[in-house]
Every structure is written in structure tokens, then in C-alpha cells.
Amino acid sequence: MKWKRIELLFFCLLPFIAFSKEQNVQLDSLKTRLLIAWPTVQVELCFRLSEMYRRSSLDSALHYAVIWLELAYEVDDFVLIAKVYDILGRSHFGKGNYILTTDCFEKGLVFAEKSHDQKLIAHLNNSLGVIYSTKGDYSSSLPHLLAARDLWVTLGDKHRTASILINI
């Protein structure tokens, strides 16, 4: 009876163990490619690394996001810079550092507005609304959430509009 429980536990955990090994292989592959890639490819690789690490190691995610930020500034791409600040903000949020989270989202919103990427602007407005709400600053939260709602309505995305309404 005891062995059956152990066997059952092993088979239930097997997908997680396999995923973990697969993820480590992917991370190692991305790190190796990062060393020899062209700058424009390095930006994409750092994005993938920071996103993958955000699920398991926030410090590593922040490390690669900072590298990605430097590369994004080098290629002078406002959309990339805004996305990096978004990842930095989400990583800091995961660590509970709301001041840095707010700072990153605000910087990201500035670059998103320069790029005129409406989806990114809406996303970062929502993120700012959520972080201000988390901090209890509802008077700062509401304008960002309303701006995000208006953009998602304009873009015709009912799912994200509903999500914003829930946040409001």
C-alpha cells in the first residue's frame, strides 16, 4: 500500500520534473546563443530568458531584463524599451518592491506612448492601475484603469475590457 502511494506520487510529479529539466535545457541553450548572437537577436534572447526566469528566479529575470534594456536602448526601439520596463516592473512586483514596480511601469508607459502602440499603452495603464490599487492609492489607480478600458474598447478587445472592468 505504501509503495503504491509513492509510485502514484512519482507519476504525478513526473511531468513537473520533466518540464523542469526541459526548461533548464532551454535556458542553457538560450544563454549559449546569447553569447554569439547579433545585437538584434540578443534582444529577443534576453526577452525569452527574462520571461522564462520570471517563473522560477526573479533575480535572474531581473538580470536578463537589465541586459535586455541596455540592448533595447542601443537599437533605439521604443516598443522594446517599453516591454523591458514591463518585465522589470512585473519582476519587481513579484519581489514585493512596489516602488520600483511603479517606476518601471511609468517609464514603460512613456516609451509606449512614444511608440504609439495602443495595446502596449493599454497594458501598461492597466499595470499602473493595478499597482496603485495594490498600494491603496485609488485616486491614482482609477485614471490609468479608465484609460486602459477606453483603449481596449476602441481596439474591440472584449476579453481585456472585461478584465479591466473587474480591476475597476
Side-chain angles (χ1 to χ4, degrees):
M1 192 73 155
K2 191 174 186 179
W3 284 106
K4 287 185 179 187
R5 286 185 191 168
I6 293 172
E7 288 174 10
L8 182 62
L9 180 64
F10 175 76
F11 286 114
C12 290
L13 292 176
L14 189 59
F16 296 106
I17 296 168
F19 175 75
S20 177
K21 286 183 181 180
E22 181 180 315
Q23 184 178 15
N24 288 336
V25 169
Q26 288 177 345
L27 289 170
D28 290 341
S29 172
L30 288 172
K31 287 184 215 174
T32 303
R33 289 175 46 202
L34 181 63
L35 298 173
I36 59 173
W38 292 95
T40 52
V41 176
Q42 285 179 333
V43 171
E44 178 63 27
L45 293 174
C46 282
F47 171 74
R48 287 184 182 171
L49 282 165
S50 59
E51 273 294 301
M52 288 179 76
Y53 273 122
R54 207 171 61 74
R55 297 180 192 115
S56 60
S57 170
L58 292 173
D59 290 328
S60 295
L62 288 167
H63 170 76
Y64 285 104
V66 168
I67 294 171
W68 184 30
L69 183 62
E70 292 171 9
L71 293 168
Y73 272 111
E74 281 180 25
V75 296
D76 199 31
D77 186 328
F78 294 147
V79 171
L80 287 177
I81 295 169
K83 286 181 179 181
V84 176
Y85 279 120
D86 178 50
I87 287 188
L88 284 167
R90 288 188 282 148
S91 297
H92 285 300
F93 184 80
K95 292 186 78 159
N97 193 336
Y98 299 149
I99 294 171
L100 287 174
T101 300
T102 305
D103 186 50
C104 289
F105 288 154
E106 286 174 348
K107 287 179 181 176
L109 183 58
V110 168
F111 283 100
E113 288 172 344
K114 287 181 181 180
S115 75
H116 305 290
D117 184 324
Q118 300 299 303
K119 289 180 180 180
L120 194 53
I121 294 168
H123 171 73
L124 285 162
N125 267 310
N126 180 58
S127 296
L128 273 168
V130 169
I131 191 63
Y132 280 126
S133 176
T134 301
K135 292 174 16 178
D137 186 356
Y138 301 111
S139 61
S140 296
S141 174
L142 190 58
H144 287 289
L145 292 172
L146 292 174
R149 182 207 56 195
D150 293 345
L151 283 170
W152 288 125
V153 167
T154 302
L155 294 168
D157 192 324
K158 293 178 183 179
H159 177 72
R160 289 199 172 119
T161 301
S163 178
I164 298 291
L165 291 172
I166 291 168
N167 289 338
I168 292 172

